[in-house]
Amino acid sequence: MNVGITIPAELPAAAETYAAAGVKIFRVRPDKAPYKNCRSCAPQLPNRERNPDYVDHRPEDCRCGVPTCHGFWAATCDLATVRQWWKEEPHANIGAPCKLNGWAVVDVDPRNGGDVSLRGIEQLKGVLPGTAMQITGGDGLHILYRSPGFDLPGEPFPGIDFKHNGYILLAPSIHSSGLRYQWYGDRKFYHPEVPWPATLFPPKEQPRVPGRRRPAQSVSGVRRPGKHWTVDTLVQHVMDSSEGNRNASLYFAACRANETADAGHLDLYDAETALADAGRAVGLAEGEVVATIKSASRRSPDNHWAAA
């Protein structure tokens, strides 16, 4: 029987409760990026002095000894480690890697039409099976299922992301709006036990039926709205990228950061700092991160992707 777990209102106590329940977690800053790396892995951005101690490396080769150095790959349910992390940073938000915890999450963002898309999906394919759900601080919704065992598209429908390779924040983390995340219903945390819905399988994973075409991943009558790029959404775009596509995702996000900053909707320095952290967190070498962000800053803007 899946027994609900009461989550304390204070972040340090909540973090310990998740860890005790076997959920792998890590510390997240208010801009949704992992906490700063150690000195030997310090951020290297354009126009900043390079750390003479730094040597390009991937997370699996790191020897710095700092447990939070590489973002969600450092996630753990070791209670002593978690207790120490939140003793050092009692206001840190709580991040949980989806795939590492065996989860796949439908992230519904009504600000970008996610509520309309969800209604369209359920009209076409049936109501999604009931499972653990979380209300985000931005009035969105996280619907948690068990991982299907294969990669999922990052943003298959307007305003809806499939969070699998990346991570989500857990209640009572604080959203940039100032509101807290909270579990739906009785406000207790339940381990997701319901499998990923077969109706949401990507086309390549759907069983072939002779004489029948695979359905396209679109929702009839739903138009993709203009994307309002924030530091949060740009970072999440990088964190959700799949292996082999991470550099391209960082480049895309850095280009959008420059265009959105030009339009006066975000601070470019903050965005580049967070994107550099995200690039390192997904395993890009330092040289790749720096070169990609520099390349994006020199690219001509594409107004099609500018913030709405």
Side-chain angles (χ1 to χ4, degrees):
M1 181 179 178
N2 194 1
V3 178
I5 299 170
T6 300
I7 302 299
E10 299 299 322
L11 285 162
E16 291 186 30
T17 301
Y18 286 119
V23 179
K24 297 179 176 66
I25 59 173
F26 67 105
R27 298 182 298 182
V28 181
R29 299 185 313 191
D31 62 5
K32 269 193 174 178
Y35 262 71
K36 291 288 187 183
N37 295 326
C38 64
R39 173 169 169 74
S40 62
C41 302
Q44 307 294 318
L45 287 171
N47 304 320
R48 289 196 192 178
E49 182 180 356
R50 182 176 175 84
N51 178 358
D53 297 333
Y54 182 79
V55 177
D56 282 351
H57 65 277
R58 292 189 176 276
E60 58 268 25
D61 300 321
C62 188
R63 298 292 181 269
C64 70
V66 177
T68 56
C69 183
H70 293 289
F72 69 75
W73 276 313
T76 183
C77 56
D78 178 74
L79 198 54
T81 301
V82 167
R83 185 176 293 121
Q84 181 61 33
W85 283 351
W86 268 268
K87 181 179 179 181
E88 296 169 355
E89 298 289 347
H91 301 296
N93 280 333
I94 304 168
C98 296
K99 186 186 291 186
L100 190 62
N101 279 301
W103 306 344
V105 179
V106 179
D107 182 6
V108 183
D109 180 5
R111 295 170 300 176
N112 286 308
D115 53 341
V116 177
S117 291
L118 183 60
R119 288 196 296 271
I121 292 169
E122 295 194 324
Q123 286 172 0
L124 289 173
K125 302 187 176 186
V127 176
L128 297 181
T131 184
M133 295 194 296
Q134 180 177 235
I135 301 171
T136 74
D139 202 28
L141 185 66
H142 288 158
I143 309 173
L144 283 68
Y145 293 104
R146 286 189 359 228
S147 171
F150 48 76
D151 284 340
L152 296 168
E155 189 179 0
F157 309 110
I160 288 184
D161 292 342
F162 289 166
K163 299 288 180 64
H164 193 219
N165 292 317
Y167 64 91
I168 60 172
L169 297 185
L170 301 181
S173 294
I174 303 173
H175 188 266
S176 57
S177 65
L179 300 177
R180 290 183 180 270
Y181 289 67
Q182 63 183 35
W183 293 106
Y184 184 77
D186 61 7
R187 301 196 177 185
K188 293 182 179 180
F189 167 70
Y190 292 84
H191 285 281
E193 293 185 342
V194 179
W196 181 257
T199 54
L200 297 183
F201 281 13
K204 68 178 181 179
E205 301 293 346
Q206 293 175 359
R208 296 303 299 269
V209 178
R212 183 183 298 175
R213 289 186 177 183
R214 286 173 170 162
Q217 287 287 308
S218 62
V219 179
S220 177
V222 177
R223 180 179 63 84
R224 178 175 295 277
K227 183 74 173 182
H228 182 70
W229 298 106
T230 65
V231 174
D232 284 358
T233 57
L234 291 168
V235 166
Q236 193 65 56
H237 180 80
V238 176
M239 301 303 289
D240 283 342
S241 60
S242 58
E243 189 171 358
N245 194 44
R246 288 163 182 162
N247 192 288
S249 293
L250 177 61
Y251 179 72
F252 177 91
C255 288
R256 305 294 77 81
N258 278 272
E259 293 158 5
T260 308
D262 287 344
H265 294 297
L266 59 72
D267 183 280
L268 183 59
Y269 176 83
D270 289 345
E272 287 187 332
T273 300
L275 288 175
D277 286 343
R280 283 186 292 273
V282 298
L284 294 177
E286 194 64 38
E288 293 178 274
V289 171
V290 175
T292 299
I293 291 176
K294 279 185 177 179
S295 180
S297 68
R298 295 193 293 264
R299 182 179 180 275
S300 298
D302 180 355
N303 292 331
H304 170 70
W305 291 103

